[in-house]
């Protein structure tokens, strides 16, 4: 586990790691996720690396695509 001092950075890192794990578990590439939720592959990469987070609409699209709850991805 990566030590992170900023709480929002911690959330981004946890979210990104969970997104990556679930995406791979579902057998999807970053490109496939990006195409399905209408974003760039680079954006998906940035989210998985904890550089950015999705807004509510994109979070919902990710959850629908991966058939999971936001709680799972957000570690709630």
């Amino acid at each position: 586990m990566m030590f992170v001092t900023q709480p929002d950075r911690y959330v981004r890192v946890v979210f990104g790691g969970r997104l990556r794990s679930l995406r791979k578990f579902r057998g999807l590439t970053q490109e496939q996720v990006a195409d399905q939720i209408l974003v760039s592959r680079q954006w998906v990469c940035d989210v998985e690396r904890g550089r950015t987070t999705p807004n509510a609409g994109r979070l919902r699209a990710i959850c629908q695509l991966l058939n999971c709850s936001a709680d799972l991805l957000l570690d709630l």
Side-chain angles (χ1 to χ4, degrees):
M1 178 85 168
M2 180 187 304
F3 178 74
V4 186
T5 57
Q6 301 170 355
D8 61 323
R9 172 85 172 124
Y10 173 79
V11 170
R12 290 193 315 261
V13 169
V14 169
F15 179 87
R18 287 177 178 225
L19 173 59
R20 177 182 295 121
S21 295
L22 194 52
R23 171 182 62 77
K24 288 184 176 187
F25 179 77
R26 299 278 191 244
L28 297 169
T29 65
Q30 288 180 343
E31 189 70 37
Q32 290 170 318
V33 170
D35 288 345
Q36 290 293 315
I37 64 170
L38 306 175
V39 296
S40 70
R41 187 208 54 83
Q42 183 61 52
W43 183 86
V44 175
C45 179
D46 287 345
V47 171
E48 287 186 356
R49 290 180 177 218
R51 294 178 182 157
T52 190
T53 54
N55 62 26
R58 287 185 179 161
L59 175 60
R60 183 174 45 174
I62 290 169
C63 291
Q64 288 174 342
L65 175 65
L66 298 177
N67 192 29
C68 69
S69 69
D71 292 352
L72 175 69
L73 290 173
L74 295 170
D75 191 30
L76 297 176

